[in-house]
Amino acid sequence: MATVGPLALFSIGLQLKFDGWRQQISQISTAMSYKLILAPALVLLFALLLGVKGAVARISIFEAAMPTLVTSGIIAEQYHLNTKLVNLVIGFSIVVGLLTTAFWDFVIRLFFLLAYGCID
């Protein structure tokens, strides 16, 4: 059972292809901008407006900042959508997500430090 996750990620990694991304750069950048920048910013804003703090707010913001993953590819395949675009978004968002999640971790820590005087 412990090998299912790594094997699934390995098989998905084999399917990711980065060719043809230049033709769909506007769709890729729109999807990634929403998923990696706008969505966590909205969750941060709602946490601020609703006064949510602590682990619930931090985890919610950080989860919103996570890259697009496999479920979107499964849904695209099931409903015969543009799977090439979805796979490109998945591949690029995983790579770019390494940087943006570090950025959002910094923002979350700074926000809670300035707003509440502590990280927790």
Side-chain angles (χ1 to χ4, degrees), residues 39-113:
L42 289 172
V43 174
L44 177 64
L45 178 66
F46 283 122
L48 177 64
L49 291 175
L50 299 174
V52 179
K53 53 185 172 180
V56 171
R58 287 193 334 266
I59 292 169
S60 298
I61 297 164
F62 201 70
E63 281 294 321
M66 287 291 148
T68 305
L69 292 179
V70 184
T71 307
S72 58
I74 294 169
I75 292 170
E77 181 69 35
Q78 183 177 4
Y79 291 101
H80 307 289
L81 302 174
N82 191 347
T83 55
K84 181 175 175 133
L85 174 63
V86 173
N87 285 331
L88 285 169
V89 170
I90 291 170
F92 279 112
S93 70
I94 289 171
V95 174
V96 175
L98 293 171
L99 299 173
T100 59
T101 52
F103 166 76
W104 280 107
D105 181 58
F106 174 76
V107 169
I108 292 166
R109 290 176 185 273
L110 183 64
F111 170 74
F112 279 96
L113 188 62

